[in-house]
Amino acid sequence: MSTLEIRDLHVTVETEQGAKEILKGVDLRIESGATHAIMGPNGSGKSTLAYSIAGHPKYTVTQGTVTLDGEDVLSMTVDERARAGLFLAMQYPVEVPGVTVSNFLRTAKTAVSGEAPKLRTWVKDVKGAMDNLRMDSSFAERNVNEGFSGGEKKRHEILQMELLQPKIAILDETDSGLDVDALRIVSEGVNRAKAGSDIGVLLITHYTRILRYIKPDHVHVFVDGKVAEEGGPELAERLENEGYDRYLAAAKA
């Protein structure tokens, strides 16, 4: 059982006008096997939370703590966070010219596990995961995300998640830019990864459509850098019908 605990997290980002506070005291607890959905309007701080946990240098934590199984995440380097069991699927995955998908995946698995996977087993695992995600085997020899479509990039993110088997996976708007078929395939990949290794998932999204495939145990509404409301799957359905207007009005009051 692993636990990611976030307490009173405050985060700023530098702008032309100086430091701007984005997160204003976030409290969350994500455990193995549970799926937490974070929903909210644009600019509410959802992606800032994801990148702050992962260690993006653009964001400065000014107050609060983030721990994974009691260990201080904020004192770790980015690669130490990955080795500790944190995984981030980015909204806009970056290209890595000169590095093939196969080399990238095996290097990442070696770094996380502390030893290189046995080649024969690894090749089989990679092929099986790619087949499940309907990725052509030729993608293994292409450079990471170079020339990939938006949907192909998202499938590659979930391929990493399936193979690396982190303790906690943070999925930042994985559904953005996906058509109906790609959304279903990517969602099935997340569900397989969860079933295979009891991963805890923090799923950031604007819409409920991905939640029809990946069923949340908990839903958190983010508004103005804070958790405005928490509930179960029924809260997502209410948001689908009502939107965020009442939360935005309360934040301005």
Side-chain angles (χ1 to χ4, degrees):
M1 174 69 73
S2 289
T3 302
L4 178 69
E5 190 152 11
I6 302 160
R7 291 184 179 177
D8 193 30
L9 189 65
H10 291 248
V11 174
T12 62
V13 63
E14 285 297 326
T15 69
E16 292 180 358
Q17 291 74 40
K20 178 181 179 181
E21 189 173 45
I22 306 297
L23 300 186
K24 305 174 182 179
V26 174
D27 294 291
L28 284 171
R29 181 184 175 93
I30 298 96
E31 296 181 337
S32 296
T35 298
H36 292 250
I38 292 185
M39 305 184 70
N42 284 328
S44 59
K46 302 185 303 298
S47 291
T48 296
L49 176 65
Y51 286 103
S52 299
I53 295 170
H56 195 295
K58 176 182 175 182
Y59 303 97
T60 302
V61 175
T62 58
Q63 185 176 319
T65 60
V66 180
T67 59
L68 179 62
D69 298 335
E71 297 294 321
D72 181 10
V73 169
L74 299 180
S75 68
M76 300 177 186
T77 61
V78 173
D79 59 308
E80 287 172 341
R81 298 181 198 208
R83 287 197 297 268
L86 290 175
F87 174 83
L88 171 65
M90 294 181 285
Q91 183 179 359
Y92 303 108
V94 297
E95 296 182 3
V96 187
V99 179
T100 65
V101 167
S102 60
N103 285 340
F104 173 80
L105 291 172
R106 194 158 192 262
T107 300
K109 183 67 172 179
T110 301
V112 169
S113 302
E115 61 180 2
K118 294 181 179 178
L119 192 56
R120 182 178 297 180
T121 304
W122 176 248
V123 170
K124 180 181 178 182
D125 289 345
V126 171
K127 186 180 186 308
M130 291 182 75
D131 286 346
N132 287 333
L133 287 164
R134 298 191 188 178
M135 295 179 69
D136 191 278
S137 59
S138 65
F139 275 85
E141 300 312 316
R142 291 176 61 178
N143 291 337
V144 172
N145 291 327
E146 202 169 44
F148 287 23
S149 69
E152 288 164 349
K153 289 179 179 179
K154 296 301 177 71
R155 293 186 201 205
H156 180 224
E157 294 282 283
I158 303 308
L159 176 66
Q160 295 171 47
M161 176 183 167
E162 285 199 63
L163 293 170
L164 298 179
Q165 298 181 328
K167 295 176 181 177
I168 305 291
I170 303 163
L171 310 181
D172 185 21
E173 298 196 31
T174 297
D175 52 342
S176 66
L178 296 182
D179 62 28
V180 174
D181 290 332
L183 176 65
R184 177 177 53 79
I185 292 166
V186 163
S187 298
E188 288 172 353
V190 174
N191 291 332
R192 272 194 310 275
K194 275 197 66 184
S197 60
D198 207 30
I199 296 170
V201 173
L202 183 61
L203 176 63
I204 296 169
T205 183
H206 286 293
Y207 309 109
T208 59
R209 64 176 195 153
I210 194 170
L211 303 183
R212 296 168 191 153
Y213 300 98
I214 303 172
K215 302 297 183 182
D217 302 293
H218 310 277
V219 176
H220 312 269
V221 183
F222 248 50
V223 177
D224 193 29
K226 299 178 182 177
V227 178
E229 188 173 358
E230 298 176 304
E234 71 285 348
L235 178 54
E237 292 302 321
R238 201 175 83 208
L239 291 171
E240 176 79 356
N241 295 325
E242 300 176 5
Y244 300 109
D245 284 351
R246 68 189 184 93
Y247 298 104
L248 292 170
K252 292 177 181 178

